[in-house]
Amino acid sequence: MTLDRPVDIMADTNTSIEIPDSRDGTNPQKMSNDFKKDSSKIERWDTTHSEDSDTFVSLDHSERPIRPADCAFGWIPTLAVMINYMVIFGAANSYGVFSTYYLNIKFPDTPATTLAWIGTLVTTLMLMCNVVTGALADKIGYRRTAYIGTVLCTAAYILASFSDKVWQLILTQGALLGIGTSFLYAPSISIPPQWFEKHKGMASGIAIAGSSIGGLWFTAATQAMLDSLGAKWTLRILGFITFGVTSIMNLLYFRRVPPKPRKNLFDFAAAKHITFWLVALEVFAMHTGFWAITFYIGTTARLLGGSMQDGSKLLLVLNAGNAVGRALAGVVADRFGNINTMLVSIILAVIIEMPLWISAKSIAPLYVLCALYGVVSPAFTSLNPVIVAIQFGPDSLASVIGMTNQFAGIGVLTGNLSQGAIFDRYDKREQFTNVTIFSGMFILFAGFITFVMRTHIVRRLYRKEDAKLTLKKYLLQKV
């Protein structure tokens, strides 16, 4: 008999068991009991999954996952996430092309603050709705949640292609697209950290690098289509691409660790911990300042005498740097620690952004800014999910990340709308000095919070081990 699932051999009526005769000195009853005991240890794992499940599960319903961490199979869902990230973040990272087009050509008399709502809502709702979509992903499954996102994103692009007014674009290319990407983002961000232990940072970095790679071809494709086909067909084609790519990649969204059973949709246990609130405050501050260059580098090029094509080329350089930086951050973090790597990257981002953007008098320094800032700034997007996974475990990972992303969404909303108002009122649409200062100060504040979080975690670690923490140990601690 072939065993491809756990069975109670003694209860199988089709199995005959030969019990030795008691005359050879063996106790038949004892032999039967021993056989029962040993047979309970026979265990095979079903590598299939039911059509309503996206988790590989042991058929004896134990909590042990079917596949170990760091196995080769984990790269299949991780690479699927990377490809989907090209679409999910491609829209946000390439919005600078649409922003420049709307601000300078289609709606030149509309305030920047009003137009900022379109791009702002995409990222804001993607992150803020994550508190619901993350919990939903843990509740109904990663694959089902992702397919809801596929339908909503496709509908958003198609509806936006028929929109001629700003408020219509705000509702379609902004709000609806943001909600749709949230359904795709929630399961995506949770997959790489749960499939890897030794290379958790590298896996997350490679996956999130897809967002910048997507930004590269989304930016180039969007600009080319705007020039040759116009905005309406550009949006329709982006919708078709989104539907085709995500429909296939969603099929490969497998969990390694089954979620803990829960009665309620939301699980707020993580909010009882100081670390959660430090992560939440850090992502709020980073997202408040981080997106300024993405949204306004194209307009900066126009103010310095460049064309729309110069703006899209700068976005290409920025996204290329992001692709390298996100993957590199994961590799470095595996060696030196996630929080250590993120802290250094945040400090370098401020040092690069403020002097280069404020002092730029021609387009050439903007290329240097985009290349350097692109490499060092996005480490937080790769490493925050890893930090959450390490601190809170993989069982309800999508839910906890969704809760922290609620604050990230508030940061995007606060930052982008504030930057639009500052550009209109204080920079008089002639420069970006005040916008740069606003962005840099919030990124610097995020660095301070990261420093506090590192101190808190290191001190907790040494208290737990009842060891003495010296200054040298604190500075050299990998965390």
Side-chain angles (χ1 to χ4, degrees):
M1 178 179 64
T2 301
L3 291 178
D4 53 14
R5 60 183 63 214
V7 295
D8 184 349
I9 295 180
M10 297 305 296
D12 192 339
T13 57
N14 296 323
T15 305
S16 60
I17 302 172
E18 182 178 345
I19 304 298
D21 195 296
S22 61
R23 288 175 292 184
D24 66 357
T26 303
N27 187 325
Q29 184 62 41
K30 181 178 182 300
M31 183 67 178
S32 175
N33 291 337
D34 289 344
F35 192 79
K36 277 186 177 181
K37 181 178 180 180
D38 291 339
S39 68
S40 66
K41 298 178 182 178
I42 298 175
E43 183 178 45
R44 297 292 177 93
W45 298 87
D46 186 358
T47 57
T48 61
H49 52 280
S50 64
E51 56 184 47
D52 62 343
S53 171
D54 52 16
T55 309
F56 288 97
V57 184
S58 166
L59 289 176
D60 67 350
H61 304 293
S62 70
E63 294 183 358
R64 185 166 46 149
I66 180 175
R67 295 182 185 272
D70 298 303
C71 67
F73 183 85
W75 287 107
I76 295 176
T78 299
L79 292 177
V81 168
M82 185 187 77
I83 294 172
N84 264 359
Y85 270 151
M86 294 181 189
V87 175
I88 298 170
F89 282 97
N93 289 349
S94 66
Y95 178 73
V97 175
F98 278 106
S99 177
T100 304
Y101 173 76
Y102 291 151
L103 194 61
N104 296 281
I105 296 178
K106 189 169 185 177
F107 305 109
D109 298 324
T110 303
T113 308
T114 303
L115 291 172
W117 274 101
I118 302 172
T120 298
L121 282 177
V122 175
T123 308
T124 298
L125 292 177
M126 178 184 72
L127 295 170
M128 290 188 68
C129 292
N130 212 211
V131 70
V132 175
T133 57
L136 200 62
D138 283 335
K139 184 84 172 174
I140 69 172
Y142 285 3
R143 203 175 299 118
R144 285 178 173 177
T145 305
Y147 274 115
I148 295 173
T150 295
V151 173
L152 291 178
C153 287
T154 304
Y157 279 120
I158 300 302
L159 291 173
S161 72
F162 293 100
S163 302
D164 293 314
K165 299 181 189 263
V166 174
W167 68 267
Q168 294 171 337
L169 290 170
I170 289 174
L171 291 178
T172 54
Q173 193 179 1
L176 185 57
L177 184 60
I179 295 170
T181 54
S182 183
F183 278 92
L184 282 165
Y185 180 58
S188 300
I189 199 172
S190 308
I191 286 175
Q194 69 175 247
W195 277 99
F196 296 90
E197 290 295 339
K198 293 180 182 178
H199 306 297
K200 196 185 292 284
M202 182 176 70
S204 293
I206 290 173
I208 199 70
S211 62
S212 299
I213 297 171
L216 281 171
W217 69 264
F218 252 81
T219 298
T222 300
Q223 185 64 64
M225 288 188 291
L226 278 175
D227 292 339
S228 60
L229 301 175
K232 292 183 181 296
W233 270 105
T234 298
L235 290 166
R236 289 166 192 162
I237 293 172
L238 291 178
F240 299 151
I241 292 172
T242 299
F243 182 82
V245 172
T246 60
S247 293
I248 296 172
M249 292 302 109
N250 292 348
L251 293 171
L252 302 176
Y253 272 27
F254 299 111
R255 295 186 62 123
R256 185 181 73 86
V257 180
K260 289 182 177 179
R262 61 168 75 178
K263 294 181 179 179
N264 301 316
L265 181 62
F266 301 107
D267 182 4
F268 296 108
K272 299 177 182 178
H273 302 278
I274 295 176
T275 304
F276 169 84
W277 291 105
L278 291 173
V279 172
L281 193 55
E282 174 261 319
V283 297
F284 163 78
M286 274 303 298
H287 280 279
T288 300
F290 175 75
W291 294 96
I293 288 182
T294 301
F295 281 5
Y296 290 109
I297 197 65
T299 302
T300 304
R302 295 269 294 184
L303 290 176
L304 295 177
S307 63
M308 284 187 60
Q309 286 70 26
D310 290 318
S312 65
K313 289 176 183 177
L314 286 167
L315 281 174
L316 286 172
V317 173
L318 180 65
N319 282 306
N322 281 341
V324 174
R326 283 167 171 157
L328 184 63
V331 176
V332 174
D334 285 336
R335 176 71 183 275
F336 298 103
N338 297 288
I339 297 178
N340 294 340
T341 302
M342 189 165 71
L343 179 59
V344 172
S345 75
I346 290 174
I347 295 171
L348 289 176
V350 176
I351 293 173
I352 290 168
E353 178 195 35
M354 295 189 69
L356 285 177
W357 201 0
I358 290 176
S359 64
K361 302 299 181 184
S362 64
I363 294 179
L366 296 182
Y367 280 101
V368 178
L369 168 65
C370 289
L372 296 178
Y373 183 82
V375 171
V376 304
S377 65
F380 78 101
T381 59
S382 303
L383 301 181
N384 272 317
V386 180
I387 293 170
V388 171
I390 292 173
Q391 297 299 319
F392 300 99
D395 297 319
S396 301
L397 186 56
S399 300
V400 179
I401 291 176
M403 291 164 62
T404 60
N405 280 340
Q406 183 83 359
F407 297 89
I410 296 172
V412 174
L413 183 65
T414 302
N416 290 351
L417 294 182
S418 298
Q419 289 153 16
I422 291 170
F423 179 53
D424 283 335
R425 183 171 181 179
Y426 297 103
D427 286 326
K428 308 298 182 184
R429 289 199 175 201
E430 297 175 352
Q431 60 179 357
F432 281 92
T433 301
N434 293 293
V435 170
T436 306
I437 293 172
F438 177 89
S439 170
M441 289 298 99
F442 268 95
I443 294 175
L444 188 62
F445 179 61
F448 172 73
I449 298 301
T450 304
F451 170 77
V452 173
M453 177 167 57
R454 183 186 189 277
T455 302
H456 168 70
I457 291 175
V458 171
R459 290 180 63 184
R460 187 183 64 190
L461 176 65
Y462 275 81
R463 280 199 306 267
K464 184 177 180 180
E465 297 180 354
D466 198 23
K468 183 178 179 180
L469 178 61
T470 64
L471 179 60
K472 181 179 180 180
K473 289 181 179 178
Y474 171 78
L475 294 175
L476 298 179
Q477 180 65 45
K478 176 182 177 180
V479 64

